Amino acid sequence: MKKPVIATVAVSAVLVAGVGVVYVTGTYDGWRDGRQLKSACGGLVDAAETQRALGVHRVSGKRLGDGCRAFDPDSDKGSLEVSVHRGRELDELPLDEIRDPALQLLPVRGGWPAVVSAGGGAKAYATGSVPCGKSADDAVVVSLRAVRSSTGTDADRRGALARLMTRALKNAAGKQGCALPDTKDVKDVAPGFDGMKAPGEATGTCRGTGLRSYEAVADSGAPIEQCVPAEPDGGREFKITAYYGPYAKAPRHDPHRSPYDYVGASGNRGGKAWTTASCPAGEALYTIEPLTPSSPSTDLERHILQGFAADSAQRHGCGKPIGADKP
């Protein structure tokens, strides 16, 4: 008569043991992931914030030069690469994402010298810099490249990426002994480039053009600013960009561009036009580029560039761009 009781106890013991195995295994995975992430990334990333930003349940890490890679060890659906550059390395800043005509960048704001990609797709990009010396060559630059799952709204994704960016930038600056400007905690990122402004209605990065356009919020701390003039039908034919601090060098050292692009203080070549201005952090570069190969640079586009450059330069405390005083 006691056998059923014994059997029940035995089954219960097995079930409890099984739960214990699962629990211990899950705890061990979390402990191992945390150690690997801390060893690889130090304080550049936070595990919980990275999980939320990538939409994954686990995140481990490995070292990549002066940066690191955080990733989901269970799949290839979530990863984050953090790169840190300074000094001579700034001549070779990896700006593949910025070269992409489809990429638009939004300012993080809150005093942070950083920008994040506007899109809500699986891939995301962010970059920021902190002055650390007398010239732009002494700056610390941090860049993030993320591959995310499909969870969350576009606004949630931008906010999460901005928080990852500010944490990494703060940590990298501290390790290099560089002082951050006065900053505030970032909760969200203002949207941009999602609605066409009528001629004369732009109040952000396109204000100086006076044209119908797609724009971002203007921010004096943004190291990169962009404006996309619009065609009457809403099409996007050109992109105008301002590069400040260490970013001004990147387009001129881009191996995918012609070595004659952006040579000198101002000029035009191959459908592109550019100008420069003297700024507290060194020379700034302003460019206008076609988004399609069939869009040549004309006198009108160069005039638009001057208006954009003059407005952005004033916002960043720079002198007048070359040619801004010409009709």
Side-chain angles (χ1 to χ4, degrees), residues 251-253 258-269 273-276 283 285 287:
R252 289 169 164 163
H253 292 83
S258 166
Y260 302 104
D261 285 350
Y262 313 128
V263 174
S266 64
N268 62 88
R269 180 184 181 278
W274 65 94
T275 188
T276 55
E283 185 179 74
L285 175 66
T287 68

Side-chain angles (χ1 to χ4, degrees), residues 85-325:
H85 295 81
R86 187 180 181 186
R88 294 181 179 179
E89 296 176 342
L90 298 179
D91 287 345
E92 301 176 359
L93 274 178
L95 294 181
D96 290 353
E97 289 81 0
I98 296 176
R99 188 188 312 113
D100 183 356
L103 179 78
Q104 283 106 31
L105 296 170
L106 302 172
V108 170
R109 301 183 299 167
W112 290 97
V115 291
V116 301
S117 55
K123 294 184 178 181
Y125 175 76
T127 187
S129 68
V130 175
C132 197
K134 296 182 179 180
S135 72
D137 293 337
D138 298 316
V140 173
V141 175
V142 178
S143 298
L144 308 184
R145 291 167 180 79
V147 177
R148 307 172 292 194
S149 74
S150 59
T151 60
T153 65
D154 289 357
D156 291 338
R157 290 179 171 195
R158 287 193 298 266
L161 186 64
R163 289 187 290 274
L164 287 175
M165 180 71 248
T166 56
R167 179 187 179 89
L169 191 58
K170 182 178 181 179
N171 181 273
K175 287 183 177 180
Q176 298 282 350
C178 309
L180 279 171
D182 292 334
T183 56
K184 300 178 181 178
D185 290 341
V186 175
K187 295 182 179 180
D188 54 27
V189 175
F193 304 104
D194 54 354
M196 185 175 68
K197 297 293 181 68
E201 291 186 357
T203 58
T205 53
C206 294
R207 183 180 60 180
T209 68
L211 302 175
R212 65 175 57 85
S213 55
Y214 300 93
E215 65 173 357
V217 172
D219 184 82
S220 60
I224 300 172
E225 289 191 311
Q226 295 176 326
C227 166
V228 181
E231 296 295 311
D233 62 357
R236 309 181 188 207
E237 194 171 8
F238 288 88
K239 181 164 71 174
I240 317 174
T241 307
Y243 300 94
Y244 292 96
Y247 297 97
K249 284 188 173 184
R252 289 169 164 163
H253 292 83
D254 186 343
H256 298 278
R257 297 184 187 272
S258 166
Y260 302 104
D261 285 350
Y262 313 128
V263 174
S266 64
N268 62 88
R269 180 184 181 278
K272 308 177 185 71
W274 65 94
T275 188
T276 55
S278 178
C279 303
E283 185 179 74
L285 175 66
Y286 309 91
T287 68
I288 184 168
E289 299 180 278
L291 295 178
T292 60
S294 60
S295 301
S297 177
T298 65
D299 289 341
L300 176 60
E301 275 73 49
R302 290 191 286 272
H303 179 73
I304 294 170
L305 171 63
Q306 289 294 344
F308 166 86
D311 184 61
S312 182
Q314 184 179 32
R315 186 162 48 249
H316 284 75
C318 306
K320 289 185 177 181
I322 301 298
D325 53 350

Side-chain angles (χ1 to χ4, degrees), residues 15-27:
L15 289 174
V16 170
V19 171
V21 170
V22 172
Y23 173 76
V24 170
T25 301
T27 301

